[in-house]
């Protein structure tokens, strides 16, 4: 009997474009370097940090002016 089915949505079943996200934040995608922030993204993707923490740390790292709800829509 199957009890659980696990889906990997991010870039597997659902493709997304970080460039569109950064444009929505008013940033230039070609000038963004994920090397320093990839661990933050991985922590969020793994459920190790909350949405609000992720938002605040991304806002600090990339210095954008979106409120959290607009950030999440982007």
């Amino acid at each position: 009997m199957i009890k659980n089915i696990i889906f990997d949505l991010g870039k597997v079943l659902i493709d997304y474009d970080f460039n569109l996200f950064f444009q929505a934040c008013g940033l230039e995608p070609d000038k963004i370097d994920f090397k320093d922030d990839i661990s933050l993204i991985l922590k969020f993707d793994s459920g190790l940090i909350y949405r609000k923490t992720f938002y605040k740390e991304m806002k600090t790292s990339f210095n954008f002016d979106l409120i959290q709800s607009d950030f999440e829509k982007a």
Side-chain angles (χ1 to χ4, degrees), residues 9-70:
L9 298 177
K11 296 294 274 179
V12 177
L13 295 177
I14 298 174
D15 192 22
Y16 55 86
D17 186 349
F18 275 115
N19 290 333
L20 295 174
F21 166 75
F22 284 115
Q23 288 172 352
C25 290
L27 304 169
E28 295 182 46
D30 57 334
K31 295 184 180 180
I32 300 297
D33 185 7
F34 274 117
K35 291 177 187 168
D36 296 332
D37 300 293
I38 195 69
S39 65
L40 174 64
I41 293 167
L42 292 174
K43 285 179 190 176
F44 180 68
D45 279 348
S46 300
L48 298 174
I49 60 173
Y50 293 105
R51 289 174 20 203
K52 189 168 191 139
T53 303
F54 179 69
Y55 164 73
K56 286 180 178 181
E57 291 190 28
M58 288 289 284
K59 188 171 182 171
T60 299
S61 292
F62 295 106
N63 194 29
F64 54 81
D65 291 326
L66 293 177
I67 61 172
Q68 187 170 349
S69 61
D70 290 340

